[in-house]
Amino acid sequence: AVAGSITSAERWKITAEDWQDVLDRHPKIGYFRMNECFAVISGKQDKYDPGAFAALSSQEAQDKLEGLVKVFEWHGKAFGCVQSIITWDCFNHALTEEDLRIFGSPYSLCVAGIIDGCRQMLRGKNMESPVGFVFDERPDVSVRIHEAWNETKATSPEDAAVMGSISFADDKTCIPLQCADLIAWHARRQFLQPAEDHGRPRPELVRLKKSVNIWSEHVWNEEDLRNRRERKRQALREYAARIKASGVIQ
């Protein structure tokens, strides 16, 4: 699952300050990752790395999570949230070997889903304008995502309308990425529905959804992937035709 939030630069600044205030409260932690937080909340530090939460008790980790969810509740009406989910089974079965080489991993398609979701969200509000996208640094896929970004921007005018800039950052120092991690963890958890949740969404997810102005979610299926593949191929053909017509290539 990949997820993110969209708002103005001014709102991000205020939200980041409030988020940092929660991190700095005793017991202070350097950054937030939901999987580390939950490892301590659930008492599973022996199975999962507790990271920044290693020195916290289960209750202290729960209190820290509570504080960060409240930050979203305070600012949520100025935010839109979007999530994109795809399974490895769907990815492997829907695409040919050539397609798998092109797309590389489900992560790159989830990123494409985030861009589409932001475009649709902004269009629905009559606010379609360039967005600065920030993604988590992933050495295994960052280069491929950047290549796909440039290709999409060149071949899809519709998507290009919201594709202002792209950058990659360390989630330990980038608070918007920590916010995205909070959403993505809960989105993934709800999709997987582990037995211990008894088929119910976690209360934090319910609160997050209620707090934001718009919540967009998309779960990729095989038909979606095949349609995406065909659109990509068509866009590349049209792009090549335009370049040839311009005389850049012969």
Side-chain angles (χ1 to χ4, degrees):
V2 174
S5 301
I6 182 172
T7 191
S8 66
E10 294 79 9
R11 178 59 63 174
W12 265 126
K13 182 177 184 298
I14 298 169
T15 303
E17 290 171 353
D18 288 342
W19 187 278
Q20 188 64 54
D21 285 344
V22 175
L23 297 184
D24 290 342
R25 290 177 197 163
H26 180 76
K28 181 178 180 179
I29 58 174
Y31 62 89
F32 174 82
R33 285 178 181 164
M34 186 61 211
N35 64 329
E36 296 177 357
C37 179
F38 192 71
V40 175
I41 289 174
S42 60
K44 297 180 179 178
Q45 299 95 315
D46 58 334
K47 187 175 181 180
Y48 303 106
D49 181 10
F53 288 82
L56 275 65
S57 68
S58 176
Q59 186 59 56
E60 287 171 336
Q62 183 64 55
D63 291 344
K64 194 69 73 173
L65 174 60
E66 171 68 16
L68 296 175
V69 171
K70 282 184 176 178
V71 170
F72 253 108
E73 291 180 323
W74 294 334
H75 299 286
K77 294 308 176 186
F79 276 84
C81 288
V82 58
Q83 65 185 59
S84 179
I85 299 173
I86 181 174
T87 66
W88 273 104
D89 282 346
C90 181
F91 180 74
N92 288 327
H93 292 155
L95 302 175
T96 66
E97 289 188 9
E98 179 184 357
D99 295 327
L100 293 174
R101 286 194 297 271
I102 292 173
F103 288 113
S105 79
Y107 185 79
S108 60
L109 279 165
C110 281
V111 168
I114 294 295
I115 295 171
D116 285 344
C118 286
R119 174 175 54 78
Q120 294 171 20
M121 190 180 295
L122 291 171
R123 179 171 292 177
K125 291 287 185 178
N126 294 316
M127 297 171 58
E128 199 165 358
S129 59
V131 174
F133 289 86
V134 182
F135 295 106
D136 194 10
E137 288 178 339
R138 292 278 302 270
D140 53 333
V141 294
S142 293
V143 172
R144 188 180 293 276
I145 288 172
H146 208 287
E147 291 172 346
W149 170 277
N150 291 333
E151 179 186 283
T152 300
K153 200 167 186 178
T155 59
S156 176
E158 189 176 49
D159 285 331
V162 300
M163 296 171 70
S165 63
I166 183 173
S167 60
F168 299 87
D170 184 349
D171 66 331
K172 289 186 177 182
T173 59
C174 181
I175 286 177
L177 288 176
Q178 295 175 34
C179 296
D181 178 77
L182 174 64
I183 298 167
W185 186 93
H186 283 89
R188 186 184 305 112
R189 180 98 177 178
Q190 177 61 18
F191 178 76
L192 295 174
Q193 294 193 343
E196 61 194 276
D197 286 354
H198 306 290
R200 297 189 296 268
R202 294 191 62 79
E204 292 84 6
L205 177 60
V206 175
R207 291 169 60 190
L208 289 169
K209 284 188 172 184
K210 286 182 177 179
S211 68
V212 299
N213 187 273
I214 305 174
W215 186 282
S216 171
E217 53 189 59
H218 179 70
V219 178
W220 292 80
N221 57 39
E222 293 190 14
E223 182 179 359
D224 290 332
L225 291 180
R226 294 189 182 102
N227 288 338
R228 180 82 185 186
R229 174 191 64 195
E230 294 308 315
R231 290 200 303 272
K232 185 180 183 73
R233 289 175 175 174
Q234 180 61 28
L236 288 172
R237 286 193 293 267
E238 292 174 356
Y239 179 63
R242 289 198 302 272
I243 293 297
K244 184 173 183 180
S246 71
V248 175
I249 59 174
Q250 302 294 329

